[in-house]
Amino acid sequence: MMKTFCGRANPTTGAMEWLEEDENYDYHQEIARSRYADMLHDKDRNTKYYQGIRAAVNRVKERGEKAIVLDIGTGTGLLSMMAASAGADFCYAVEVFKPMANAAVKIVEKNGFRDKIKVINKHSTEVTVGPDGDMQCRANILVTELFDTELIGEGALPTYEHAHKYLVQEGCEAVPHRATVYVQLVESKRMWSWNKLFPVHVEAEDGEKIIVSPSEMENCPGVPSVCDIQLNQMPSSDFTILSDVVTMFSVDFSKPVRSASTYYRVQLEPVKSGKAQIILSWWDIDMDPSGKINCSMAPYWVKSTSAFQWRDHWMQCVYFLPNEEPVLQGETVYLTACRDEYSVWYKLQKARGAEENKADVCVESPVCRCQAHLLWNRPRFGALNDQNRTCQYIKSLMKVLKTDSVCLCISDGSLLPVLAYYLGAKQVFTLENSAVACSVMEKFFKANHLDDKIKIIEARPELLTTSHLEGKKISVLVGEPFFTTSLLPWHNLYFWYARTAVTSHLTNNVTVLPQSASLHMMIVEFQDLWRIRSPCGTCEGFDVQTMDDMIKNSLNFRESREAEPHPLWEYPCKSLSDPQEVLTFDFRKTVPQHGLGTEGSVNLLRKGRSHGAVLWMEYHLAADISVSTGLMQISNEKGNCEWNPHCKQAVYFFSSVIESEALSDLPSAVSYAINFDTKTGEIAMDFKLL
C-alpha cells in the first residue's frame, strides 16, 4: 500500500504538518475540491465548444477527409463525446490524471461511444503516433480545454507546441481556434492595498506617529503569481478606469504555437489622468476561424450581453505594476506584457522618441526581494492597510496599556508591536515563527527607528525562556490573532495554545488582548457558489453521473464532510437566519483539557434554499471592542450580506439541498451540533434541516 504525505495546518502548534495518508487521500482531495462540476455546469462554455466542434467536423468532412480528433485534457470525456456525436470518425482522448481517465472510460462506455473514443492515460507529450502507437495516425482536429484564468497557467502553450510538432497534421482545425488576451489600465486604492503597505497613522499621547514601510518594500515588484478574482464583485466605485480595453496578444491554435518567453507591446492613450497601478486582464476564445462563436471572460462593465454566465474555473486577473506611475489624459504610454511558458507580467513606460532597444525588455519574471510579499499574501496586505481595523486595535490597546506594561505579541508579521510601543508600553517583545517573518519585521522596525526598542524572538512559544524576555514577566499579551498557516477561521485559535504555552512567563493579573473569541454561524442561500458542489447528471445531453458519484465518494472519504474556506465577498449570498454565536473561547484562561461542544437550532427567517452554513470568528479585543473575520453587516431586508474582504470564511455545504431538484418543503429551522476538539484544534460539525 503506497502512502502519500499531505500538508495540513495543525492549529495546536501553528505549524504545517505532513501527515501520512492512505494513497487515495490525495486523489480524493483533488477530486472533492476540484472544479470539474463547475466546468460541467458552465452552460456557455459547453454549448460554444459543442458548436465549435460541430463546425470543425463539418469543415473536415466537406473536404472529403475523415475527421480524426485529438482531445487533450479530456477530463470527463465530454468534448470527445461531442465530437463523436457530431460525426467524427475517431477521437483520441488524453487525460493524465488516473482517476479521471478511469472515469472518462466509464462515461464514454455508458454513453455508447466505446468504438469511437480511445482514452489514453498519459501526458500528451508522452503520446506516441504510428501503427504500434497510442494513435494510429496524426489527428486533423485538435480540441483542448487547458486554460486557467491566466490562459497559460496550466501549460497550454508547451502542450500546443508539442501537439503541433508530433500529434496533429499541418493545417489542422482547432477548437478553440484562437484566444485573445485583453487588458485595461486602472487606478484602485483597494486593489493596490493588496500589494503595498500604506503608511499607518497613530494618534499617541505625544502626538501623531506614522508607521512607514522600508524603501525596499516600496520598490519591490512583488510576487509574479497571478491574482485571480471574481472581478464582477468589485463595485465600480472601487476603481477608476484610465484606459480603454485593448488587445494585448492573441494565439492562433490552428498553427504551430511557440511557448518560448516573449513580450508584446501596446500603445495606450489614457482616457483620464490618474495613478496607473493595476492592469486588469481577461481573455476570450473564438471557437471558429470567423469568430462567430465566442466565449468571453469580460467583466460586467465591458460585456453588454444580458445573459451572464457565472463560473469559478475562469475568472479575471489583477496584475500589479512594479510601481505606480502618474499618467496624463491623452499622453501616450507603452504597456509591455512579458510572458514565459506559464505566466504573464506587465510594465508601463512613458513614450520615448525612438523605439527603445529590445535588450531592455523584462525577460526575467519579477521576484520579491523585500520578503514581505512572501510573508503576507494579498488579503493580509489588505487587512494591514485597513485603517478601520487598525483603529479598533489602537482603541483597545489604549484601554489596556500602562506606562509600566511589558508586552509580548504573538501573531505572524503583525504591526501590533509597533502600535503597542507607540501607545506607551514600557517594553515590547514579539514572537515570530519563521526566518522570513524575523527578517521582514527587522527591516520594518529599522525603517521606523525602532530596532532597539522592540525585541524580536524567533522561538516557538513552548521554548520561550526567561532570558529571551530579559528576566521580565509579561503583563500584556497581545495577538490579532493571525497566523500564516491558518486555512479555516478557527485555526487562528493557535493563539490560545501559544498563550497556554507561555503561561509561566505571564504576571498573575496579565491582560490578554483579545480577551476572548467566539465562533458564529449563519444559514445562507448562495447566488452561485452552490454550483461548485452541485451534481450535473447530464451535460449537453451526455450522462456524466459517474463524475458526480466520484466526487460524492471523495467527499465522503473522510469520515465527515468538512467546512471549506471561501472569500465570501466574491460570492454573494443572502442570510436565511440571524447570525448565531455558537461557541466562546476564553483567552484569559488556558486551553481546557476537555473539548468544547454545543447543540442548538436556528430559525429560518427568510424563504430560500438553505445551501449551507457560514462560520467565522469574532475577537473581543477589550470591553465593547470586537473585530469580525466574517459578517460585517446584513445590508438590507432581503438579507444581502457584507463580509470581511480580508478573510476567508468557512462554508459547510448542505449536500441534501444542493443535490435535490425539488423546492417542495422548505425547512423552518436548522439544528446543529458543533464540537471543538482541544487536542487537535479542529471543529467537527453536523447540521439537520428541520
Side-chain angles (χ1 to χ4, degrees):
M1 171 99 160
M2 285 222 357
K3 289 285 181 197
T4 167
F5 287 90
C6 298
R8 285 171 82 86
N10 181 338
T12 66
T13 62
M16 281 305 279
E17 296 194 344
W18 295 94
L19 305 180
E20 260 193 77
E21 297 277 7
D22 170 326
E23 65 169 319
N24 295 320
Y25 174 74
D26 239 6
Y27 281 170
H28 286 299
Q29 277 303 84
E30 172 123 0
I31 294 163
R33 299 280 170 263
S34 71
R35 288 282 177 262
Y36 288 117
D38 179 46
M39 293 185 218
L40 293 172
H41 281 294
D42 187 340
K43 185 92 182 111
D44 179 63
R45 169 197 105 121
N46 298 337
T47 52
K48 283 168 182 168
Y49 259 102
Y50 210 167
Q51 290 170 352
I53 288 168
R54 276 197 201 102
V57 170
N58 289 340
R59 288 195 300 275
V60 169
K61 296 271 191 185
E62 276 163 15
R63 297 200 290 262
E65 297 171 27
K66 277 194 161 182
I68 308 295
V69 175
L70 170 61
D71 169 12
I72 301 178
T74 195
T76 55
L78 179 68
L79 302 183
S80 285
M81 294 191 297
M82 288 178 175
S85 298
D89 294 278
F90 202 78
C91 304
Y92 295 102
V94 179
E95 175 56 55
V96 69
F97 184 44
K98 183 107 180 85
M100 205 56 238
N102 294 345
V105 169
K106 287 185 191 151
I107 292 171
V108 162
E109 290 219 347
K110 200 166 171 184
N111 286 278
F113 294 110
R114 184 181 174 164
D115 306 336
K116 292 276 184 186
I117 299 173
K118 176 183 179 184
V119 177
I120 303 169
N121 177 208
K122 282 187 173 182
H123 195 280
S124 65
T125 53
E126 307 290 310
V127 170
T128 55
V129 179
D132 311 325
D134 299 308
M135 297 169 63
Q136 287 289 297
C137 59
R138 289 186 175 226
N140 53 9
I141 301 177
L142 176 55
V143 178
T144 76
E145 202 277 66
L146 300 166
F147 314 114
D148 65 347
T149 296
E150 198 172 22
L151 187 70
I152 64 171
E154 287 176 8
L157 296 177
T159 303
Y160 270 108
E161 182 169 38
H162 175 272
H164 274 287
K165 278 184 189 154
Y166 303 106
L167 306 176
V168 297
Q169 298 173 17
E170 201 178 330
C172 73
E173 299 290 342
V175 182
H177 180 81
R178 80 174 70 77
T180 307
V181 172
Y182 301 91
V183 294
Q184 189 165 31
L185 184 64
V186 303
E187 172 180 340
S188 168
K189 187 177 180 187
R190 176 177 175 188
M191 290 184 260
W192 195 238
S193 80
W194 300 342
N195 189 53
K196 298 276 185 211
L197 199 63
F198 301 160
V200 179
H201 298 263
V202 186
E203 296 291 341
E205 298 280 298
D206 50 349
E208 189 189 50
K209 303 281 203 294
I210 298 179
I211 307 176
V212 296
S213 57
S215 62
E216 63 180 310
M217 209 181 286
E218 286 294 299
N219 302 318
C220 182
V223 284
S225 64
V226 67
C227 172
D228 54 341
I229 59 168
Q230 291 280 2
L231 209 42
N232 291 316
Q233 296 310 317
M234 180 71 63
S236 54
S237 53
D238 280 348
F239 59 96
T240 305
I241 289 173
L242 300 180
S243 82
D244 291 332
V245 177
V246 298
T247 298
M248 197 70 225
F249 63 93
S250 67
V251 185
D252 180 338
F253 296 124
S254 70
K255 299 191 170 67
V257 170
R258 294 197 46 174
S259 66
S261 298
T262 184
Y263 69 94
Y264 312 92
R265 179 169 292 159
V266 295
Q267 238 176 293
L268 293 179
E269 292 279 309
V271 294
K272 194 171 181 171
S273 298
K275 292 187 287 227
Q277 297 166 327
I278 304 283
I279 302 296
L280 300 180
S281 176
W282 56 89
W283 48 262
D284 68 12
I285 44 184
D286 286 324
M287 296 297 183
D288 63 322
S290 69
K292 287 195 186 73
I293 312 167
N294 177 274
C295 186
S296 170
M297 304 308 124
Y300 65 89
W301 63 92
V302 178
K303 211 168 174 175
S304 53
T305 58
S306 50
F308 203 81
Q309 174 70 54
W310 183 86
R311 44 170 75 94
D312 203 47
H313 58 110
W314 293 330
M315 295 184 268
Q316 294 80 24
C317 300
V318 175
Y319 295 97
F320 305 95
L321 288 169
N323 298 95
E324 72 178 23
E325 297 273 350
V327 295
L328 293 171
Q329 183 174 348
E331 253 184 46
T332 303
V333 289
Y334 292 94
L335 180 67
T336 305
C338 302
R339 69 151 183 80
D340 54 22
E341 289 186 328
Y342 298 99
S343 61
V344 186
W345 59 98
Y346 287 88
K347 64 178 190 183
L348 191 72
Q349 282 144 322
K350 293 287 161 74
R352 300 216 181 88
E355 177 59 30
E356 63 168 88
N357 86 22
K358 302 221 164 171
D360 234 26
V361 174
C362 41
V363 201
E364 293 294 290
S365 87
V367 177
C368 164
R369 280 181 289 278
C370 75
Q371 293 189 301
H373 298 91
L374 308 177
L375 177 63
W376 298 324
N377 63 12
R378 288 152 185 146
R380 177 65 174 158
F381 267 100
L384 294 173
N385 282 321
D386 183 337
Q387 202 65 48
N388 292 340
R389 179 179 180 273
T390 303
C391 280
Q392 305 297 339
Y393 286 96
I394 290 174
K395 276 197 311 214
S396 44
L397 282 167
M398 286 169 89
K399 286 191 178 192
V400 305
L401 288 174
K402 304 187 176 69
T403 47
D404 61 351
S405 292
V406 178
C407 191
L408 172 65
C409 174
I410 304 183
S411 270
D412 291 350
S414 174
L415 303 185
L416 287 181
V418 183
L419 296 179
Y421 180 77
Y422 280 157
L423 295 170
K426 180 179 175 188
Q427 197 164 5
V428 181
F429 298 95
T430 180
L431 209 53
E432 297 294 343
N433 76 350
S434 70
V436 171
C438 290
S439 154
V440 171
M441 297 321 286
E442 207 172 306
K443 294 174 190 168
F444 209 84
F445 299 156
K446 205 167 253 151
N448 291 282
H449 312 294
L450 299 172
D451 36 333
D452 54 340
K453 308 281 198 287
I454 299 172
K455 183 177 171 192
I456 300 172
I457 303 168
E458 186 181 357
R460 303 194 47 75
E462 62 276 15
L463 303 178
L464 189 65
T465 61
T466 313
S467 64
H468 280 132
L469 299 172
E470 296 162 12
K472 305 209 171 46
K473 289 270 191 197
I474 300 300
S475 61
V476 180
L477 178 68
V478 299
E480 300 185 28
F482 172 83
F483 302 99
T484 49
T485 53
S486 298
L487 301 170
L488 289 160
W490 48 88
H491 290 169
N492 285 320
L493 286 173
Y494 171 58
F495 178 73
W496 201 12
Y497 292 89
R499 176 257 178 268
T500 303
V502 301
T503 301
S504 64
H505 301 288
L506 308 176
T507 59
N508 292 335
N509 57 351
V510 64
T511 302
V512 184
L513 183 161
Q515 55 191 22
S516 66
S518 50
L519 177 69
H520 295 247
M521 186 268 300
M522 186 168 75
I523 308 300
V524 302
E525 173 179 64
F526 285 107
Q527 190 178 303
D528 295 296
L529 186 65
W530 60 275
R531 297 172 202 279
I532 67 170
R533 297 286 166 257
S534 158
C536 303
T538 61
C539 180
E540 297 302 305
F542 302 103
D543 179 340
V544 290
Q545 174 91 43
T546 308
M547 187 70 220
D548 296 336
D549 297 344
M550 187 166 148
I551 292 174
K552 200 168 162 56
N553 172 39
S554 289
L555 284 170
N556 296 337
F557 176 71
R558 277 209 167 289
E559 43 294 42
S560 67
R561 307 210 15 212
E562 298 175 343
E564 41 189 276
H566 292 285
L568 291 188
W569 74 266
E570 293 183 66
Y571 304 103
C573 63
K574 70 172 189 177
S575 68
L576 299 183
S577 75
D578 281 334
Q580 185 122 328
E581 181 179 297
V582 288
L583 282 177
T584 54
F585 311 90
D586 188 348
F587 296 158
R588 289 166 296 196
K589 303 191 177 80
T590 55
V591 176
Q593 288 297 301
H594 58 84
L596 305 174
T598 180
E599 292 187 0
S601 73
V602 48
N603 291 324
L604 300 182
L605 312 172
R606 293 185 184 84
K607 285 258 189 290
R609 300 198 69 168
S610 308
H611 287 135
V614 177
L615 299 101
W616 67 93
M617 299 293 289
E618 294 193 4
Y619 296 103
H620 310 289
L621 302 182
D624 309 332
I625 304 178
S626 287
V627 291
S628 168
T629 65
L631 190 67
M632 303 308 271
Q633 60 166 337
I634 296 179
S635 52
N636 57 20
E637 62 291 345
K638 288 199 194 93
N640 295 359
C641 305
E642 204 176 297
W643 299 97
N644 182 326
H646 316 306
C647 304
K648 287 182 176 179
Q649 291 73 37
V651 178
Y652 186 99
F653 287 108
F654 298 161
S655 51
S656 60
V657 176
I658 290 176
E659 286 165 16
S660 78
E661 293 295 305
L663 253 178
S664 49
D665 37 352
L666 289 172
S668 57
V670 175
S671 71
Y672 57 85
I674 295 178
N675 291 291
F676 176 66
D677 181 342
T678 50
K679 301 277 180 288
T680 62
E682 286 297 348
I683 288 183
M685 55 192 84
D686 196 29
F687 295 91
K688 288 195 174 55
L689 283 76
L690 307 175

